[in-house]
Each structure stands twice: as structure tokens, then as C-alpha cells.
Amino acid sequence: MDGLMKWMEKYILPVATKIGSEKHLVALRDAFIGTMPATMAGAIAVLLNAFMRDFPNTYLGEGNAITTFFTPVIGVNGLIWNGTLAIMAVVFALSLGANLAKAYEVDPVSGSIVSLVAFIIGLPDAATAVLTLPEKLSEEASTMITTAGGVLSDAAEGGQTLSMGAWGYFNFGKYMGGSGLFTAMIFGFISVIIFALLIRKNIIIRMPDSVPPAVSKAFAAIIPAVVSLYVVGIINYLFKQTAGVPLIDWISEAIQKPLMHLSQGYGAVFIIVLLVHVLWFFGLHGTNIMSPVLQTLYGTAMVENTNAFQNNEPIPFKWVAGSFEAFVWPGGAGVTLVLIVMILFLSKRADYKTVGKLGIAPGLFNINEPVMFGLPVVLNPLLMIPFILAPLATATIAYFATMAGFVRPVVVNVIWVMPTIISGFLATAGDWRAIVLTIVNLLVAALIWAPFILAANKLDPNLGETNETN
């Protein structure tokens, strides 16, 4: 065990520390964190609509009294969703631009504007509107429509289908939700990095000292913003001309979809859970360090699932960011809520008992720092095995239960301090089987933690030697 720890301290810890402090990854992590006000508001709206609309309609039928009574609230919730999760890529573009600008020590407001505009530049601004007509139009009406560029074709039951190009139309559902996050990320990085580097090279318009600071900042940002946005515009234009498809569509098909597909495999889930807890064991915030991966892939899947649930569409992903919070590490990394309970029931050590009593209240709300650093779990060779093994076991059980359809996939982004059991129930929009899954995971984690707490009873808390009096 000592040899393994020394090897990890020598080779793994320096790399993890460097990754955890890399400014671009930190900016990406903070960008996702910065979207939380919007994501939480949208998640609450979707959750309320689930209980006011979806459940009553499913079990009581259309037009039931509950849904009818809450119709105004359901409408308001829909508006909240429209302005949050439905345009998550737009919100993220703003957050990423501000955090990248902070990383380069330039104006965050200008950075957020540049990032947003760079994303909008790549959106196709024309689309085809399709309308199904119940019966065929007259010859005169058909001539007028085809002359204007519309296309009429025969449809079932004697009707017609009208297709008409619509300029200036942005497809919210296709581009501005979770499916646009990768494009917002890529062009946010390109545009803001160029913008920041030009400012740091002093390629700016300088104003006299007498000019107010706000005006000076605005003028200083003009040249860097113009250059960076033209670079983005040229990239999008040349790609469309050569490939024949918008770049955002290519990114979605060639980059985002394959990565999202890989994220759904058990191997990816296993590796992420393992890395999070190995980092935590060495005192590094594993969840934060892995956040760029967690949020880029599983956070995107989370948004897609929530939007699909809101629109009563098939749920696209089985495993999302909320799956980790709901089922893998209740009480915090390492399933430390179970550790605390095992200490209170099984430990004979005064130091463990004291930390357990102090840690139970925050542990119920998934705050585990008192235990991690007070017990400590960090750099404790005895507790390393259950700390890593317990969440791997809960992840395995939850993953295969979800994939097998024993529990509904997570569709609502529940705030991370929500107590366990309730968290899984709400995250799955009220699936009672999530409660059963959570209880099973807690019991399995208890079986893993218990022998190590009993073993700790035999160790002298000061000398680390066998204490025969226990």
C-alpha cells in the first residue's frame, strides 16, 4: 500500500494538480457553474410541470382537475423553460466568454459578448417551414405559392404538404439547447482567446485618460473583437462553401454525437468515478477537477434529457450528470454519508465518534469536507479501499439498473445539496423505483464500509498500532 501511494504521489498527483489548475479547464468548469442560476430555474420549472401536468395526465387522463387548476402555473413554467434550458447553449456562451476573459485578465463583459456573437455567427439563419394541409389548394393559390418559392407535394388522405423557405429563422430546438453546447464551447474558446491575446498585445484603440473607464474599455475591445469575430465568420463561411453543410451541424454529427455515445458506456462511467475518488483521496477536489469532462459530456446529456422530458419526447440518454449525484455518491464523494452512519453505529474510537457527530448534519446535504479532512479520509491508507470501492459499486448497480430500464433515467437537474433518496426521486421526475435503487446502493455501501470501521477500532488513534484493549 505504501509503495502504491508513493508511486501515485510521484506520478499521478503532479499531473492531477497541473490539470486542476490549468486556466482553460478552470474557465470551462466555472462556465458550467456560472450557468447554474438558469439551469436550476429551468429544472424547477420542468419538475413542477411533471407533478402538475405529466403525472396527472398519465394517471388521471387528459383534462383532469389537477392539470386544469394549475394551467396558469404550467404556462409560466413553460416560459421559464423557454428562457433557460431551451437556450442553454446561449447562456453557456455568455458564461464561458466571461470566465475565459477572467482567465486572461481582460474585460469579462466584452469576453462574454464576443463569445455569444461567435456562437450566433455559426447558426444557420434560414430554414424550411413545413405545413401539412388537410386538402389540396386551388390552382390559383398553388401558382402563387410556387411562384414565391414554395414547394407543394401530395400528402396522405388527399391533402398537401407545403414547404417554404424562411429566412431569419433560428431553430431553437436544434441549435440552442444542449445540442449547441459543443459549438458554443469551441467558438467561445477560439474567439475569446484571440480577443484576449490581441488586447494583451496592446492592439487596441487607446483613449485619453480623461475618457471614462467604461468608454475606454469599449473602445479598447473594438479591434480585438472585430478580428476575432471575423476569424469565426471566415471559418464558418469557408466550411459551408467547401463541405456544403453548416459547421455547427458537422460538429454535432462528427464530434458531439460520437463523444456522447462513448459517455454512455460503462467503461467511461467507471473511469470517471475511479478518477474522481483517487483525486479526492489525495486531498484534491476530484469532482471539480473532472468537472470539465463531467459537464461537457454528461451535463450536455442532462440538458438534452430535460428538454426532451419537457416536450414529451423520447429520453435520448440513459446516463447523465445528475445520475452521479442521485445514485453514485450520496452524502458526497465516497458515499461518506454511509461512512458517517457506520461510525456512529460501529466505531469505538472517540475521535471517529466526534467527527461522525459533527459530520452527520452536513453529510445529509452531501457536504462531506468535515469527514474528508477531519477523520481524515484523505491520505488514510485504511479507508482508501472502501472510499474508492463503495462508489464504484454504487455506480455499477445504478448504471446497469438504469440501462436495463429498472429505473427511469435522470431527467431533472436537482440541486446537489438535496438529501439522498429525495434527490433520486426528484431527479427521475417522481419514479418511486429510484427510492428503491438508492436504498439498495446505501446498503451495499454500508457492507463495504463496515469491515473497515471495525478494523479501525483495533488501531491506536495516536500510534497506528494494534490496540488490544478494544
Side-chain angles (χ1 to χ4, degrees), residues 275-362:
L275 289 176
V276 165
H277 289 83
V278 168
L279 292 170
W280 258 118
F281 177 75
F282 284 98
L284 302 174
H285 201 302
T287 315
N288 278 353
I289 292 174
M290 294 300 296
S291 182
V293 176
L294 281 167
Q295 293 303 322
T296 300
L297 296 177
Y298 297 101
T300 300
M302 180 80 252
V303 174
E304 292 283 330
N305 273 15
T306 305
N307 289 345
F309 179 76
Q310 166 68 16
N311 294 324
N312 198 27
E313 298 170 351
I315 305 302
F317 298 104
K318 293 292 185 74
W319 194 268
V320 298
S323 304
F324 293 96
E325 300 287 352
F327 302 122
V328 175
W329 43 66
V335 201
T336 45
L337 177 61
V338 172
L339 166 62
I340 295 171
V341 173
M342 290 297 99
I343 286 173
L344 295 178
F345 278 98
L346 302 178
S347 181
K348 297 179 181 179
R349 291 176 52 161
D351 56 337
Y352 274 37
K353 286 278 192 181
T354 301
V355 174
K357 291 174 183 178
L358 293 174
I360 186 64

Side-chain angles (χ1 to χ4, degrees), residues 383-419:
L383 300 183
M384 177 183 181
I385 295 174
F387 180 74
I388 295 176
L389 188 58
L392 288 177
T394 56
T396 301
I397 295 169
Y399 175 85
F400 287 106
T402 304
M403 293 298 170
F406 295 146
V407 66
R408 180 189 295 161
V410 170
V411 293
V412 178
N413 190 6
V414 178
I415 189 168
W416 67 274
V417 293
M418 184 66 65

Side-chain angles (χ1 to χ4, degrees), residues 242-298:
T242 55
V245 296
L247 181 54
I248 187 173
D249 288 341
W250 182 85
I251 291 173
S252 177
E253 292 295 325
I255 300 177
Q256 182 166 338
K257 280 190 176 180
L259 287 175
M260 298 299 292
H261 177 73
L262 287 174
S263 74
Q264 297 302 292
Y266 173 69
V269 174
F270 183 93
I271 290 172
I272 286 175
V273 173
L274 177 64
L275 289 176
V276 165
H277 289 83
V278 168
L279 292 170
W280 258 118
F281 177 75
F282 284 98
L284 302 174
H285 201 302
T287 315
N288 278 353
I289 292 174
M290 294 300 296
S291 182
V293 176
L294 281 167
Q295 293 303 322
T296 300
L297 296 177
Y298 297 101

Side-chain angles (χ1 to χ4, degrees), residues 1 13 30 41 45 153 155 208 212-213 263 270 285 331 404 430 432 444 462 468:
M1 181 66 72
L13 195 58
D30 292 345
S153 57
S263 74
F270 183 93
H285 201 302
W432 64 269
V444 170
N462 297 314
E468 301 296 341

